[in-house]
Amino acid sequence: MIVNIEKCMHCGACVGSCPQNAVYLNEIVLEFNEDCNRCGRCVRICPVGALKMEGKR
Amino acid sequence: MRTDYDIIVVGAGPAGSMTAKHAARKGARVLMIEKRQEIGAPLRCAEGVNRRGLEKAGVPVDRRWVSTDISGAKLVSPGGHVFRIDESQAGNEVGMVLERHLFDKAMAADAARAGAEIWLKTAAVDVIKEGERVVGVKARREGEPLRLTAGCVVAADGFESQVARWAGIDTSLKAGDITTCFQYRMTNLRTEPDYCEFIIGSVAPGGYIWIFPKGDDTANVGIGVLASKLEKPGEVKRYLDDWIRKDERLSCGQPLEALAGGVSVSPPVERSVMDGLILVGDSARIIDPITGGGIANGLLAGMHAGNVLGDCAQAKDFSEEAMMPYDKLWRDAMEDRLWRNWMAKEKFLTLSDSTLDAVIETLSTANVDKMSVHNILIAIKERHPELVREFEELI
């Protein structure tokens, strides 16, 4: 997953929505762990469009 | 540095602070950790709450954290019909809009005065288990990894709800039970300074646009859209920006703050306790599925959790069985209402703009003097019984 850090508002909407519990947010960075299965839910859910899947435009 | 406590609360929101306060009051050794550097910030809330909710949780109103007292609410249909609920005679049901930056700090201060320790910039990154029992958390404090052990870990980590899931309680949500939100605090508005406004219909699919006054010409102007209705990245913010451009009371305004967040609009968790772990607040999915409000339920659940945990600390027993009284207390207080409002939400999101227009138009002739979901559902039941047939026994 690619995070646009200039758009990300660190709101955690993707974290709580991730069915795999694969997203982690500390004060600054959003991290995806190996449990991420690229389902894409976080991409749609992000209120500001800060996430996209690698390999997709 | 001590690393062993009776109770470790993860997350210093209102539910966590209430839990910490009530447990510490009964003599438990309590540590509350918060990953942010400031409690109450950054904000992720529209800040509305009613007096009854605070009262039930034993939180006396302190003007220092009240932004604005509300006189009533307006429910606006897609075609512009307005259902106005005037609360001037409604006593303690009357709502208010908080200053969460200050409110959350005040709740945490109460926990501190009761004896709880608070660590900032301390994030839980996993739970520690022995067999099926939670015995602590792995954390990072200012970047340094450390192990914190406790008789009980309190999952008060909000919408993210990661602590419970690390421990093995499934709090994951389906897309139809998640609302994605974006909000501006705006100023120089021409909206009513003492009315909360809810705008429903296809302008905010499966959710609503809100205008919650924050004093004078300032308000929280936000939107929630159901995740299952979203198609493109970043749509939520665009829906709100589109509405603000069209509404001339808002288009003259300017933003002071922008925030975002996720809100669960689901039934509550099936399991809120296990050996060594207890869930409170948003992490237990106890947000009201119709209003999206979670403060009052979080405070009340936190109060019950803290009281039960205080007893558990005295008995040195944090087994699931010993903590079950908490599960019963919060379910007795809110579970029926949460299920009813979840069913109402499921029905609501199937309604077309024209049906919503018809409903709001007929409701506008109803005499509903108290602003509550229940009273609105009673009025709908009288006028549009077909809309509530599936759950009329809960109204």
Side-chain angles (χ1 to χ4, degrees):
Chain A
M1 302 300 302
I2 300 171
V3 185
N4 182 334
I5 56 169
E6 306 208 34
K7 280 190 178 176
C8 174
M9 295 176 71
H10 309 108
C11 76
C14 54
V15 181
S17 305
C18 174
Q20 296 294 111
N21 203 13
V23 194
Y24 186 81
L25 171 71
N26 69 14
E27 189 121 29
I28 298 155
V29 292
L30 197 59
E31 292 166 343
F32 291 77
N33 70 25
E34 65 278 9
D35 293 333
C36 171
N37 62 5
R38 297 166 52 89
C39 75
R41 185 192 271 187
C42 56
V43 177
R44 269 194 299 147
I45 273 179
C46 175
V48 293
L51 297 172
K52 69 175 182 179
M53 234 181 284
E54 259 163 295
K56 289 206 176 173
R57 287 173 58 91
Chain B
M1 185 177 75
R2 155 171 263 162
T3 57
D4 182 61
Y5 292 82
D6 291 326
I7 292 150
I8 293 174
V9 180
V10 180
S17 287
M18 284 291 276
T19 309
K21 174 173 84 172
H22 287 278
R25 230 182 223 173
K26 290 195 171 180
R29 294 170 309 156
V30 179
L31 169 65
M32 180 161 68
I33 63 174
E34 168 55 51
K35 72 179 174 185
R36 308 284 195 184
Q37 64 190 5
E38 180 179 347
I39 290 170
L43 183 70
R44 290 200 310 213
C45 185
E47 303 183 288
V49 70
N50 66 50
R51 269 171 216 275
R52 171 85 50 88
L54 296 171
E55 240 167 55
K56 276 192 198 159
V59 175
V61 173
D62 182 336
R63 302 305 308 177
R64 283 175 291 190
W65 43 251
V66 178
S67 164
T68 307
D69 291 303
I70 298 305
S71 316
K74 290 193 325 189
L75 197 51
V76 182
S77 78
H81 295 289
V82 179
F83 174 34
R84 213 178 162 92
I85 307 163
D86 184 352
E87 290 211 287
S88 56
Q89 308 299 317
N92 60 6
E93 286 275 348
V94 174
M96 57 178 77
V97 181
L98 301 175
E99 290 292 354
R100 281 290 301 272
H101 295 277
L102 301 175
F103 178 76
D104 286 25
K105 290 181 184 73
M107 295 301 107
D110 282 348
R113 288 183 197 109
E117 270 184 60
I118 301 171
W119 294 357
L120 301 178
K121 279 181 98 70
T122 307
V125 295
D126 203 351
V127 297
I128 305 166
K129 284 177 91 172
E130 277 175 10
E132 285 307 297
R133 176 182 194 81
V134 175
V135 296
V137 289
K138 290 180 192 162
R140 291 179 73 84
R141 186 182 192 187
E142 292 163 15
E144 291 298 316
L146 75 164
R147 289 168 64 88
L148 300 169
T149 52
C152 183
V153 172
V154 179
D157 54 330
F159 175 71
E160 282 95 322
S161 196
Q162 294 200 283
V163 176
R165 292 190 279 169
W166 291 329
I169 292 181
D170 183 15
T171 60
S172 60
L173 299 162
K174 61 186 179 76
D177 285 340
I178 302 168
T179 298
T180 306
C181 303
F182 190 86
Q183 174 180 285
Y184 296 106
R185 182 179 302 202
M186 297 186 75
T187 196
N188 196 36
L189 302 174
R190 288 196 224 114
T191 47
E192 286 183 73
D194 60 343
Y195 266 71
C196 282
E197 190 166 326
F198 302 84
I199 301 154
I200 58 174
S202 56
V203 293
Y208 60 86
I209 288 171
W210 63 82
I211 304 169
F212 287 4
K214 291 283 290 185
D216 301 326
D217 59 352
T218 302
N220 290 336
V221 180
I223 189 170
V225 177
L226 206 66
S228 56
K229 304 265 187 184
L230 289 169
E231 283 161 12
K232 297 189 197 100
E235 255 182 334
V236 174
K237 181 174 183 293
R238 278 200 298 278
Y239 272 116
L240 182 62
D241 289 339
D242 286 348
W243 178 265
I244 289 170
R245 247 192 317 276
K246 280 181 212 149
D247 185 329
E248 59 187 27
R249 303 166 308 159
L250 304 176
S251 58
C252 52
Q254 296 297 328
L256 300 173
E257 184 179 359
L259 49 126
V263 173
S264 64
V265 288
S266 66
V269 280
E270 284 175 23
R271 192 175 176 202
S272 69
V273 296
M274 63 185 275
D275 289 347
L277 184 84
I278 193 164
L279 278 61
V280 298
D282 291 6
S283 83
R285 309 308 190 197
I286 56 172
I287 287 180
D288 185 308
I290 275 280
T291 65
I295 301 169
N297 289 349
L299 290 170
L300 188 64
M303 179 187 79
H304 288 317
N307 283 328
V308 169
L309 288 174
D311 294 340
C312 291
Q314 284 170 19
K316 300 201 182 328
D317 180 1
F318 293 100
S319 64
E320 178 170 339
E321 191 185 0
M323 297 193 292
M324 273 311 278
Y326 160 69
D327 191 82
K328 179 168 170 38
L329 283 163
W330 75 257
R331 287 188 198 278
D332 286 352
M334 62 187 80
E335 190 174 32
D336 283 354
R337 182 163 38 90
L338 292 171
W339 275 101
R340 181 198 71 203
N341 288 0
W342 178 76
M343 285 186 258
K345 174 216 97 184
E346 292 285 292
K347 185 70 194 181
F348 163 78
L349 61 92
T350 66
L351 304 183
S352 66
D353 279 2
S354 56
T355 305
L356 290 170
D357 275 329
V359 171
I360 299 296
E361 189 179 11
T362 49
L363 280 180
S364 62
T365 63
N367 183 25
V368 177
D369 61 352
K370 288 182 184 175
M371 181 173 63
S372 75
V373 173
H374 191 213
N375 287 331
I376 292 170
L377 289 174
I378 289 170
I380 291 175
K381 191 176 176 179
E382 282 168 10
R383 287 164 175 77
H384 298 274
E386 73 285 0
L387 296 182
V388 297
R389 195 151 289 146
E390 288 99 333
F391 54 98
E392 62 185 351
E393 74 280 5
L394 289 173
I395 297 172

